[in-house]
Amino acid sequence: MDGHRVLRLGETLRATVHALPRLWRGGWGAILAAAVVWGIQPLAAGVASLIWAPFGLVATLVLAGALGRIAITEDLPQAQRLGLGQAGFQFGRPELRLLGAGLLCAVFLAMILSVVALVLLALFGMAELNAQAIEPRQWSAVGPIWKLVLLALVTAFALFAVVAFSVRLSLFAPATIGRGQMVSLQSMSIARGAFWPLLVGLIVTSAPKIALVLLWGAGVLSGTAGWIVFAVVLTGLQAPLTMAFVGAAYRRLEPAPPR
């Protein structure tokens, strides 16, 4: 393996924490705008949702473009040379490339999910389990234990395969900005040999989102107020944290100077 393709998790996480204040400082306007736009999303019902949708898309692209430029550079002046606008407000070809690359990645993952779902449905169908016994949780009546264990292992493997593809695609945003062209499936080659550090790093940096989900599940967050908290935390903390990590990882896996 080439030396430049080694990703050290501890070093990358330290770089993530170090870069986070810079992302807030350079993209505070885009973060605030995205938080407001996504915070009012519950109010957009019916025809209003058609009006809200383009604003939500643009705000997300502007935020991703700002954070991505800052994450792959060492300081704000360098990010500004890549097109970073005042307070993170800019919209140009990099944002359009991010949209295209994101859509291609989403389509690819949707195809993988469809194949996995079809395979699992076929396997569960061939297993001839007693589905009626599942609802009352009478597991002994569902089917032989070896079938249940085998199906559980196959399901876990299939879900892990989806996660693996998602992790290997996680560098598409910094790569798209860094290379100055749309990078979707090609990002898997950049992440080659760095799957486990990327997976663990993405889990660690997803702590805010995981906490929100747990709080929502526990009933602490709910309704419009809970959604606003979601929007603020996801745009103000989770998005910068994730982009700082994938940006730091990209710079270590493809250390050529960004365009």
Side-chain angles (χ1 to χ4, degrees):
M1 184 183 298
D2 296 335
H4 73 278
R5 295 190 62 83
V6 175
L7 183 66
R8 295 179 175 84
L9 178 60
E11 175 186 300
T12 308
L13 288 174
R14 285 192 294 272
T16 299
V17 174
H18 179 74
L20 198 55
R22 189 171 73 251
L23 268 71
W24 284 327
R25 189 168 63 251
W28 67 267
I31 292 173
L32 180 60
V36 171
V37 171
W38 280 97
I40 65 174
Q41 193 276 336
L43 303 178
V47 178
S49 63
L50 300 177
I51 300 174
W52 176 89
F55 286 97
L57 177 61
V58 170
T60 302
L61 290 175
V62 169
L63 177 62
L67 298 180
R69 287 176 174 89
I70 302 170
I72 66 169
T73 52
E74 297 190 12
D75 51 41
L76 291 181
Q78 190 178 5
Q80 289 166 356
R81 289 194 290 273
L82 286 179
L84 177 68
Q86 186 69 30
F89 288 115
Q90 71 291 300
F91 194 90
R93 289 182 179 179
E95 282 70 29
L96 295 177
R97 294 189 189 109
L98 284 174
L99 175 60
L103 288 175
L104 287 176
C105 289
V107 170
F108 177 73
L109 288 176
M111 293 171 60
I112 297 296
L113 281 170
S114 299
V115 172
V116 168
L118 289 174
V119 170
L120 290 178
L121 284 174
L123 289 175
F124 274 82
M126 290 186 295
E128 298 180 347
L129 301 178
N130 182 7
Q132 294 180 345
I134 295 178
E135 186 173 353
R137 298 183 181 181
Q138 298 175 357
W139 303 115
S140 59
V142 174
I145 188 64
W146 68 267
K147 283 188 178 182
L148 297 178
V149 173
L150 181 60
L151 288 174
L153 290 175
V154 172
T155 301
F157 177 79
L159 294 177
F160 182 78
V162 175
V163 171
F165 279 112
S166 300
V167 170
R168 295 191 63 187
L169 289 170
S170 62
L171 301 181
F172 84 90
T176 293
I177 295 176
R179 291 185 175 184
Q181 62 185 27
M182 194 166 65
V183 179
S184 54
L185 301 186
Q186 306 97 308
S187 62
M188 290 195 291
S189 64
I190 303 174
R192 185 179 297 122
F195 170 76
W196 290 109
L198 282 174
L199 175 61
V200 175
L202 288 171
I203 293 174
V204 170
T205 54
S206 294
K209 180 166 55 179
I210 294 172
L212 287 175
V213 172
L214 293 177
L215 289 174
W216 191 279
V220 177
L221 295 177
S222 61
T224 303
W227 175 263
I228 293 175
V229 173
F230 252 90
V232 171
V233 174
L234 291 181
T235 56
L237 180 56
Q238 184 62 71
L241 190 57
T242 300
M243 192 64 80
F245 175 74
V246 296
Y250 170 73
R251 290 179 61 192
R252 282 153 178 75
L253 293 172
E254 190 172 78
R259 293 181 53 182

